[in-house]
Amino acid sequence: MSGAEFDAYTVGRTITFTAGGQNFGAETYLKRQRVRWSFSQDECQEGSWYEDGPNICFVYENTEAPQCWQFFETPTGLRAEFTGDSGTVLFESPIDQKLICLGPDVGM
């Protein structure tokens, strides 16, 4: 997906991702390429994304290096392939859930 396609698909939504059939985390996509991410049962991280060639790269407040993914729209939702060494592949869950933010910044 291009940056424009990714933005059109995600903005205003919270998407839950799974890996290997297990919940991996959820991300809320805000206007102006802003995001809020939480691993399952974890604190939320604020961040942003940008397009870099075929990749969508995310930068979060507590990480130094961008995390880049390639996104593909499938008949069952998004498929995200991490461009780093881990080979992680995530799938959009058909179940919409609210983003749960635990930790010291709850409610922010």
Side-chain angles (χ1 to χ4, degrees), residues 5-33:
E5 292 167 329
F6 181 76
D7 195 49
Y9 186 92
T10 60
V11 74
R13 297 182 62 200
T14 297
I15 297 176
T16 301
F17 289 97
T18 62
Q22 301 294 317
N23 279 349
F24 185 82
E27 190 152 48
T28 298
Y29 298 90
L30 308 166
K31 294 179 182 177
R32 296 182 297 282
Q33 297 177 313

Side-chain angles (χ1 to χ4, degrees), residues 29-80:
Y29 298 90
L30 308 166
K31 294 179 182 177
R32 296 182 297 282
Q33 297 177 313
R34 304 287 305 158
V35 295
R36 185 173 297 122
W37 166 260
S38 177
F39 284 105
S40 294
Q41 305 298 323
D42 203 358
E43 292 181 21
C44 289
Q45 298 180 36
E46 301 289 329
S48 61
W49 66 267
Y50 62 91
E51 182 177 19
D52 183 17
N55 302 325
I56 304 295
C57 298
F58 296 85
V59 178
Y60 298 98
E61 60 192 355
N62 297 325
T63 58
E64 295 179 21
Q67 299 176 22
C68 297
W69 300 79
Q70 289 187 353
F71 285 87
F72 304 90
E73 190 172 356
T74 73
T76 58
L78 289 181
R79 183 180 79 240

